[in-house]
Amino acid sequence: MRVFGSADFDDHEQVTFFADPGAGLRAIVAIHRSGPLGIAGGGCRMWPYASEDEALRDALRLSRAMTYKLALAGLPAGGAKAVVLGDPARDKTDALLEALGRAVDGLGGRYVIAEDVGTTPRDLQVIARATAWVRREAGDTAEGTALGVLRGLEVAVRRRLGATDLRGVSVAVQGLGRVGRRLCAHLARTGARLVVADLDPARARAIAAELEATAVGARSIYDQAVEVFAPCALGGVLDDATIPRLRCAVVAGSANAPLAEPRHADVLAARGVLYAPDIVIGAGGVLAAASGDDARALAERLDGLAATLEAVFARAERERITPLVAAERTARERLEAGP
Ligand code: NAI
């Protein structure tokens, strides 16, 4: 396992490996930047990784993306990520979560843990038995994330297709978890036509019935003739095998790091697909967390997300670069400029 020499290592400030055999815990916490306040935020992912390398890669990539996401969202914190190696359905116990809480506590507040794929608000409550460094309001982030994706999707559709609203626009949503199913409900309200898929076919069928959508198998979601493909499952789904199958004009969804490699942004652009970078469009959850109960503040911040995405698309066109490169450049400039 290479760390400093890994392609995903970006001078991360701290990468810590935790093991508690008694509790069955194996976890990595990567702090990319601790930000001006010395605090880094980021979700905790629990996943049955095929290898330790894969888990480390996820921690490095996702923590870096979190720093960029927060910088683009104008929030004064750094980015981090925790990954727990294991199957949440089988391996997650209160003892494991408490051990994870002790691990987070040992970082002394440099890392504030939140939920992500494989962890829930209830898990955070168990983790909180062992540490105060838990984002309490995390329960609402999925709704904020879905609202942010909706706004970003509208911006991308307007830019690429000239459509002023989503009425009649067809969207294929991959993944109907906390974010995906909320996004579907919002899209249905706007009059979009939905094609949905989840690894759990019963979930896809139920949502299709509720929203008058079409459910397809998880494997065939890439092949749908739609205007928008919305990845809301895991990262790394768009690669050399799946991109050629896409029949859409826009990719816009919540999934963190949906491109298998950065070069896939060029592959999408070469096919005329407008890609809304995850580090911009996926920020609704952190904006919701920063806004607390203040609905007006959230609405203003979501306007800011839409404006940032418009600026990123404009910069990409002006500088003849992909939206991903434009977003990363903008994020780096904001980080260098400081708070
Ligand atoms: P979740 O775990 O609640 O839902 C993920 C869903 O995707 C599950 O229903 C799962 O069965 C499905 N899925 C997994 N692989 C699939 C595949 N190959 N095809 C079809 N369905 C598949 O996760 P959540 O919270 O909805 O997050 C979704 C994505 O959005 C993740 O990439 C996450 O990192 C990202 N995200 C989530 C935020 C949040 O506030 N929850 C914030 C920002 C990003």
Side-chain angles (χ1 to χ4, degrees), residues 284-305:
V286 292
L287 295 176
S291 306
D293 294 332
D294 190 340
R296 215 167 122 183
L298 176 60
E300 277 171 18
R301 286 185 162 125
L302 290 172
D303 287 346
L305 182 154

Side-chain angles (χ1 to χ4, degrees), residues 145 149 153 171-177 179-180 183 187 195 197 221-222 228-238 242 246 248 250-259 268 273-278 281-282:
T145 305
V149 173
L153 202 147
V171 185
V173 180
Q174 178 192 45
L176 305 169
V179 178
L183 175 65
L187 286 169
V195 182
I221 192 72
Y222 302 103
V228 183
F229 178 75
C232 297
L234 289 188
V237 292
L238 295 176
T242 54
L246 293 178
C248 63
V250 167
V251 169
S254 72
N256 282 313
L259 307 181
L268 284 172
V273 178
L274 183 64
Y275 170 59
D278 57 329
I281 195 170

Side-chain angles (χ1 to χ4, degrees), residues 45 116-117 141-142 145 175 177-179 198-199 203 232-233 254-256:
R45 177 166 297 188
D116 187 46
V117 175
T141 59
T145 305
R178 285 169 293 196
V179 178
D198 195 278
L199 283 183
R203 182 177 290 189
C232 297
S254 72
N256 282 313

Side-chain angles (χ1 to χ4, degrees), residues 189-266:
R189 263 196 296 280
T190 63
R193 289 192 300 113
L194 290 173
V195 182
V196 298
D198 195 278
L199 283 183
D200 176 355
R203 182 177 290 189
R205 279 196 301 272
I207 288 178
E210 187 189 324
L211 301 176
E212 294 180 18
T214 306
V216 298
R219 290 215 186 109
S220 56
I221 192 72
Y222 302 103
D223 305 311
Q224 304 303 312
V226 287
E227 273 133 348
V228 183
F229 178 75
C232 297
L234 289 188
V237 292
L238 295 176
D239 57 21
D240 294 328
T242 54
I243 293 176
R245 290 166 56 190
L246 293 178
R247 295 162 74 196
C248 63
V250 167
V251 169
S254 72
N256 282 313
L259 307 181
E261 295 170 45
R263 69 180 174 84
H264 290 115
D266 300 290

